[in-house]
Amino acid sequence: MTTTQPVVTALQAHPSLPMPDPPERRPEEKSGFNHLNLTGSTYLLVKYFGHPDTTLVAGEHYIAPFPTRDMSGIKFPDLMIAFDVDPEAYRRRNAYIISEQGKPPDFVLEIASRATGRLDVEEKRDAYEALGIPEYWRFDSTGHFHGAMLAGDRLEHGGYRPIAIEELEAEVLQGYSKVLNLNLRWEYGELGWYDPATGQHIPTYDDQVARADEAEDRAYEAEVRAENADARVQRSEAELRTEREARVASETRAYQLAERVRTLEAQLRRRDS
């Protein structure tokens, strides 16, 4: 695709202008693109990696080696991840410009569709290799379009080499991303992201909701405990007041009796005298 002449002219005159949006996806491409959104992968990865000021988790915008007026041959992956970069420059430019960021993205991923399957395996692989992107991954929920359900390439000695994919069990494939330090899984047609240290999926939206609910429950239980403790304190204070009042009343009665005895004794002495 080549940009329109007005855009070309604008980029020539103002090289700092945002780059144009990629072309609208065709209907047959959207099922693959939507996979990342429907499964929440982008959101999960943003939360997992953190550091939003220096970590970029994004997609659907061009990756270009430098500002250019011609979009021919420039690719826009479904997902890219880059560490120690300037996400604000990416948003401002509307593209990932390698010359401005000082490095290519660390990771790119393409989701298969009928329209892009062959391009993902051949043309895009060559393009991402030429850009020096350390890892390029492909996910195909059916395996019909890429010829493999899960595949990855790692840049070694200037060229891409296939990443080993193992079958963990029926309907579950896995490969290790060195740059992300995560295992990517094809499991029952879904894409999963697993921490190799724990063997667990990175926190999902449901996990975060559950943790929030647990935190709310803990806060409620702590409030109940505090109220119970306060009630016990109040009861103890009331009991102490009751005991103190009873003791004072007892002492008062004892004093009054003693005074009564002294008065009677004095009357007896006067009568006997």
Side-chain angles (χ1 to χ4, degrees), residues 125 129-130 133-134 153-162:
R125 183 182 185 277
E129 181 182 57
I133 294 172
D153 290 292
R154 183 174 293 123
L155 196 65
E156 296 178 354
H157 308 296
Y160 273 153
R161 300 291 181 270

Side-chain angles (χ1 to χ4, degrees), residues 50 66 85 101 141 146 158 207 230 260 268:
F66 45 77
V85 295
Q101 297 286 359
S141 61
H146 286 164
D207 292 334
D230 185 57
R260 178 62 177 164
L268 286 172

